[in-house]
Amino acid sequence: MKFYFAAPFTYAQELIPLVAHIHGTTKHSVTSSWLFIPEGTRSKHAMEAMDYAFKDLADVNAADILVLFNPPGVPQSPGRNIEFGYALAKGKQLMIVGERKGVFQYLPCVSRFTDITDFQHYLSCLADEHLAPYEG
């Protein structure tokens, strides 16, 4: 399976160890190239911003499942909402890790995990895969 992780830009450092764990111990992958953009990077020109947007949409298209990370106390961002809505419109499987923060996140097609540990447990239960405990 291919996952796209949608999360606050500032949350990338929390997810990179999980991505490395998934890539290193399973046949699954994470398509979210935005996770590896250096923190503090900002689009200075419209063309650069457009390139980032197209790359994110291509990464969502390449995924089977969009996982939306909603850490407690972090407001919802337009970018994550757009990625979520785009994946919904494309018929992707949708998952949330954390709080539901919007009416579309309550749709019956959206699975929810309380936290990263709960999501990692799901990964360990995938057919034909065993994931060592995540220590992130």
Side-chain angles (χ1 to χ4, degrees), residues 75-113:
Q76 198 62 351
S77 70
R80 284 186 285 155
N81 282 328
I82 289 168
E83 292 164 341
F84 184 87
Y86 182 77
L88 176 65
K90 290 291 217 169
K92 304 287 182 180
Q93 187 174 347
L94 299 168
M95 299 177 173
I96 295 174
V97 176
E99 305 169 349
R100 294 182 195 263
K101 296 184 177 183
V103 295
F104 293 101
Q105 295 178 20
Y106 286 91
L107 290 171
C109 62
V110 180
S111 302
R112 181 179 171 267
F113 303 94

Side-chain angles (χ1 to χ4, degrees), residues 30-118:
V30 177
T31 64
S32 307
S33 59
W34 71 267
L35 290 169
F36 303 98
I37 297 171
E39 192 169 342
T41 301
R42 295 285 182 253
S43 303
K44 296 178 182 157
H45 305 289
M47 292 300 287
E48 185 179 10
M50 182 178 68
D51 288 343
Y52 283 134
F54 279 132
K55 181 63 177 151
D56 284 351
L57 294 178
D59 289 350
V60 172
N61 282 333
D64 303 304
I65 300 171
L66 180 132
V67 183
L68 178 65
F69 289 85
N70 283 335
V74 177
Q76 198 62 351
S77 70
R80 284 186 285 155
N81 282 328
I82 289 168
E83 292 164 341
F84 184 87
Y86 182 77
L88 176 65
K90 290 291 217 169
K92 304 287 182 180
Q93 187 174 347
L94 299 168
M95 299 177 173
I96 295 174
V97 176
E99 305 169 349
R100 294 182 195 263
K101 296 184 177 183
V103 295
F104 293 101
Q105 295 178 20
Y106 286 91
L107 290 171
C109 62
V110 180
S111 302
R112 181 179 171 267
F113 303 94
T114 56
D115 54 29
I116 287 181
T117 302
D118 192 23

